[in-house]
Amino acid sequence: MRTRFSRIVIVIGLCSGSFETFSTQVVHAQAPSPLTPDSPIVLEHVVYLNDGLKSEAAKIAASEPASGASLHRGIVSRFGVSENGYITLDGVLSKAKSDLDQLRLARSQYVASLVSAAPSDTQLKGFEARRSAILSGVVSALSTQLNASDRQAWRNILADLAGKIRIGSVSNANHR
Amino acid sequence: MRITDSLCIAVKGVLLCICSVAVLRADCNTLVYGGANGNPNDIGANDSWYSDTYRLDGNHVVSYSQTTITGVNAGLVRPQVITYLYLGSTLMYTNNITNTTYGGTYTQTDTSQLFLNNNYYLGTYQLGLGSTGNGNYNNHWGDSPICTGQGYPYSALHYYDYGNQYTAFKPTITVTGASGNPTSWGFWYLGGAPSIDGYYTQVGLTGNTNWGTGTRPITWTTIQGASKINTNPTTGPNVTVTALAPSAYGGYNPDIQVQISTDGLPSAPFPLFINTPYTMLTGAGTYGTCTDIGMAEPGYHNSVQHGLADLAGASLVWITTTESLENDHYVVGGMYNASNSNWAASPSNPSTWCPVGKSGCSLFWDTNTSFSDFTAVCGPSPIPNASSYNPNGTNPVDNLTQKFWVGSAAGFSGECPQEDVLTYYTDHGSVSGIVTPVTNQSQCASGNVIN
């Protein structure tokens, strides 16, 4: 059989890129998104979860001083780490929270200044890059500072949240 | 990064493709109208959210719901969340505070106290109840006043969710080793003597927090009748309660209540009733000649039959009971004294009556609810000699104070429900001056005599 080479097409270039498709419907507790436990989104939720629990515990303890210790134990239990592990975890997460808050403040101040001017593409992307860097720092810090069992607990809490967090686009409903 | 287009050409049978990549801009135009090619899904901002309810400690359930905005345009969007916390189908709290900060995470948090101002708030907690059709969903979205103000009207999609359900229960108390789950329990006070013959003076109780796993704090408190029990230890899941005093007379009315709490959330009171041998029922028994009981004449024997009753007046089933005999002396005003009688010089040995078949005992109850105390004066040795049984005889020789000690094989140990005067007549034995119940047990103390 004679081969007709002229009919053979060889593709030598492939286009690649990352696609993120999100449900854009109004959703009622749709299936969990395929977030990975080490996603920055998950990390940010954990950072604010820790801060939220601590703030809430402090607020309660202010009116019920006797409950302070048990509330603290409850927070430690939520993260599943040892008491020493939580000290480390809280230190890292609190530092990240502080950094993220500073970033938010700077970004908010920048946005607030844009009453008449258009935002700078470079500025906004810079803020987002700093956010990613802060959250990456959380991962690297905890991977070295936690012991083996606490690292496993840390992975468990990330996996737990990754399974609960939903994600979607905040598309403008006026332009669908 | 999104691939927006590609151009491919075939050169000598080889397809060459050139990829063109549009980089998403960070600005209000992109946020509102979409990416470079108008893709409304590609606006550089994502919304992530979740809602959760968690038992923070024994008395507090915390609920939190977060909205996080990420992406290059996150700085132009304010994350918002409205939450609805339900207990069952009752809306407890609504959090609807507008967040004024752009980007990042916004959290709404509620804490519910399960026991507050003597009221329980137990049941199923859930953030958002929309799924049942009986309430609201939590609402997550973002807004952008800055872009709207610059002529880019922005109205983000809203996402609705509900969190997990958490059902909070009271802590509970159960009797260790008991089948079922009794709502009260009775045990015995035997004057401080330990458990005997199936009469238990201690009870083991188990506290269950009914939340979480692993070790949870449990504190025990006696909220009624504290002087009647000792609880040891006072923390932890398992305690032993020892009776220190009986409940009040007049029925089986639990007048002791214990309670556990976990971080301040109390259980329902657990009633305890402590029964005791409270009174004795004393009546005539058998009688006869000395020959009847294998002893030498002359003389007599007769018995007095006794039974025990509890705080409700019900007869007790056999329990080891001992008498004490004190102050044996000749009857004042009688015909006899140390110069013409030797009866008081030979006091009787106190007896112990045991449940039938109990090992180590020589004297037993007649039935499961009565025992007999024999009086016998026989033979030629007693001076004066006793005569045949006559319950109406009027010549007393000596008497003594008799006390009964229930729950013990020794006198002056156990509960003393009765004291009386035991008199030996020349022709019969008699019990008189009965005091039952003995409401003040110190009356039965050694040396306190009534004859």
Side-chain angles (χ1 to χ4, degrees):
Chain A
M1 178 183 290
R2 179 173 177 176
T3 304
R4 301 177 66 183
F5 287 99
S6 60
R7 298 289 298 273
I8 296 175
V9 175
I10 302 172
V11 177
I12 61 172
L14 293 174
C15 299
S16 64
S18 68
F19 291 82
E20 287 183 315
T21 35
F22 305 114
S23 166
T24 55
Q25 301 302 308
V26 173
V27 290
H28 293 171
Q30 80 281 32
S33 60
L35 278 173
T36 58
D38 57 353
S39 160
I41 289 175
V42 176
L43 291 166
E44 182 161 340
H45 276 285
V46 176
V47 167
Y48 283 91
L49 169 64
N50 181 54
D51 180 70
L53 291 178
K54 284 198 308 177
S55 301
E56 198 67 9
K59 189 171 71 179
I60 301 165
S63 57
E64 305 170 45
S67 64
S70 65
L71 293 169
H72 173 76
R73 284 195 298 272
I75 295 172
V76 176
S77 170
R78 178 69 183 95
F79 289 96
V81 293
S82 65
E83 181 63 39
N84 282 339
Y86 181 73
I87 293 171
T88 300
L89 183 69
D90 181 47
V92 172
L93 295 183
S94 296
K95 171 69 166 53
K97 163 71 169 45
S98 173
D99 293 344
L100 287 170
D101 281 349
Q102 288 180 27
L103 172 64
R104 287 172 68 184
L105 180 62
R107 186 158 60 178
S108 237
Q109 287 173 341
Y110 168 72
V111 170
S113 71
L114 302 174
V115 177
S116 57
S120 157
D121 173 69
T122 306
Q123 280 276 27
L124 289 177
K125 287 178 176 173
F127 286 128
E128 192 62 8
R130 282 170 57 189
R131 169 184 167 273
S132 295
I134 293 167
L135 295 172
S136 295
V138 170
V139 175
S140 58
L142 291 178
S143 66
T144 58
Q145 294 179 31
L146 292 177
N147 65 28
S149 63
D150 288 336
R151 268 201 308 276
Q152 183 57 50
W154 166 243
R155 282 193 287 269
N156 291 343
I157 187 75
L158 292 177
D160 176 48
L161 261 67
K164 291 176 177 174
I165 295 169
R166 275 76 168 169
I167 187 167
S169 168
V170 287
S171 300
N172 185 0
N174 292 333
H175 295 276
R176 299 287 305 134
Chain B
M1 182 173 71
R2 289 186 65 247
I3 297 166
T4 58
D5 203 356
S6 64
L7 175 64
C8 296
I9 57 173
V11 179
K12 292 183 178 181
V14 176
L15 187 66
L16 300 175
C17 294
I18 300 172
C19 302
S20 90
V21 176
V23 177
L24 196 67
R25 284 191 60 78
D27 57 22
C28 289
N29 184 70
T30 302
L31 178 71
V32 171
Y33 296 112
N37 297 293
N39 184 343
N41 288 336
D42 201 358
I43 63 169
N46 296 318
D47 188 348
S48 62
W49 67 95
Y50 85 108
S51 301
D52 210 351
T53 299
Y54 173 72
R55 184 80 166 261
L56 198 53
D57 72 4
N59 201 21
H60 299 92
V61 169
V62 64
S63 301
Y64 43 87
S65 189
Q66 296 181 324
T67 301
T68 296
I69 303 294
T70 56
V72 294
N73 272 329
L76 300 176
V77 181
R78 304 187 311 186
Q80 305 291 355
V81 55
I82 300 175
T83 59
Y84 302 90
L85 178 62
Y86 288 89
L87 174 55
S89 58
T90 302
L91 179 62
M92 303 292 284
Y93 302 108
T94 299
N95 266 332
N96 186 9
I97 304 169
T98 300
N99 175 31
T100 58
T101 304
Y102 285 85
T105 299
Y106 186 50
T107 305
Q108 298 277 26
T109 308
D110 287 311
T111 299
S112 303
Q113 206 165 341
L114 299 175
F115 185 72
L116 179 64
N117 296 330
N118 289 320
N119 290 314
Y120 288 96
Y121 297 91
L122 302 167
T124 301
Y125 284 86
Q126 187 171 25
L127 269 181
L129 202 61
S131 63
T132 67
N134 295 319
N136 297 292
Y137 288 97
N138 305 312
N139 187 353
H140 304 263
W141 80 104
D143 63 6
S144 182
I146 188 69
C147 289
T148 299
Q150 291 190 5
Y152 295 93
Y154 178 74
S155 176
L157 288 174
H158 289 239
Y159 293 99
Y160 300 94
D161 79 345
Y162 58 89
N164 59 301
Q165 292 184 336
Y166 179 79
T167 302
F169 299 97
K170 282 183 193 177
T172 51
I173 296 173
T174 55
V175 179
T176 306
S179 60
N181 185 15
T183 55
S184 66
W185 198 256
F187 56 122
W188 291 86
Y189 177 68
L190 300 176
S195 303
I196 190 170
D197 303 333
Y199 290 79
Y200 294 100
T201 59
Q202 293 181 319
V203 61
L205 297 179
T206 298
N208 310 285
T209 60
N210 294 321
W211 73 278
T213 56
T215 303
R216 299 293 181 184
I218 294 179
T219 302
W220 294 78
T221 308
T222 303
I223 57 176
Q224 183 185 357
S227 63
K228 297 181 178 180
I229 59 171
N230 175 63
T231 303
N232 185 41
T234 56
T235 60
N238 299 304
V239 298
T240 299
V241 179
T242 302
L244 299 180
S247 293
Y249 170 75
Y252 302 119
N253 301 314
D255 55 3
I256 302 155
Q257 295 188 95
V258 295
Q259 196 171 43
I260 60 169
S261 66
T262 177
D263 296 332
L265 171 65
S267 68
F270 188 85
L272 294 170
F273 173 74
I274 299 178
N275 210 342
T276 197
Y278 188 65
T279 57
M280 288 185 71
L281 310 169
T282 297
T286 58
Y287 60 89
T289 65
C290 291
T291 305
D292 294 338
I293 57 174
M295 298 182 73
E297 298 290 351
Y300 66 88
H301 79 84
N302 70 290
S303 68
V304 177
Q305 195 170 54
H306 298 287
L308 296 166
D310 68 8
L311 288 172
S315 294
L316 265 67
V317 174
W318 53 39
I319 176 173
T320 299
T321 301
T322 299
E323 66 176 342
S324 60
L325 303 171
E326 299 172 271
N327 196 33
D328 190 351
H329 63 79
Y330 292 100
V331 174
V332 177
M335 298 172 59
Y336 301 100
N337 52 52
S339 63
N340 61 3
S341 173
N342 62 359
W343 287 27
S346 304
S348 302
N349 292 322
S351 299
T352 294
W353 295 268
C354 295
V356 172
K358 184 175 181 177
S359 64
C361 294
S362 57
L363 189 59
F364 300 98
W365 285 48
D366 305 330
T367 70
N368 64 351
T369 56
S370 67
F371 62 90
S372 293
D373 182 17
F374 277 87
T375 302
V377 183
C378 294
S381 298
I383 300 172
N385 284 169
S387 55
S388 298
Y389 176 72
N390 173 19
N392 300 316
T394 57
N395 286 326
V397 180
D398 65 332
N399 65 18
L400 41 78
T401 295
Q402 181 183 40
K403 298 168 184 171
F404 290 92
W405 301 91
V406 181
S408 172
F412 306 104
S413 173
E415 182 71 3
C416 174
Q418 177 168 307
E419 61 179 341
D420 54 52
V421 176
L422 178 58
T423 303
Y424 290 88
Y425 286 77
T426 55
D427 48 12
H428 71 285
S430 174
V431 170
S432 62
I434 295 173
V435 178
T436 188
V438 180
T439 54
N440 183 351
Q441 288 287 295
S442 65
Q443 292 176 24
C444 283
S446 177
N448 286 350
V449 294
I450 59 174
N451 66 315

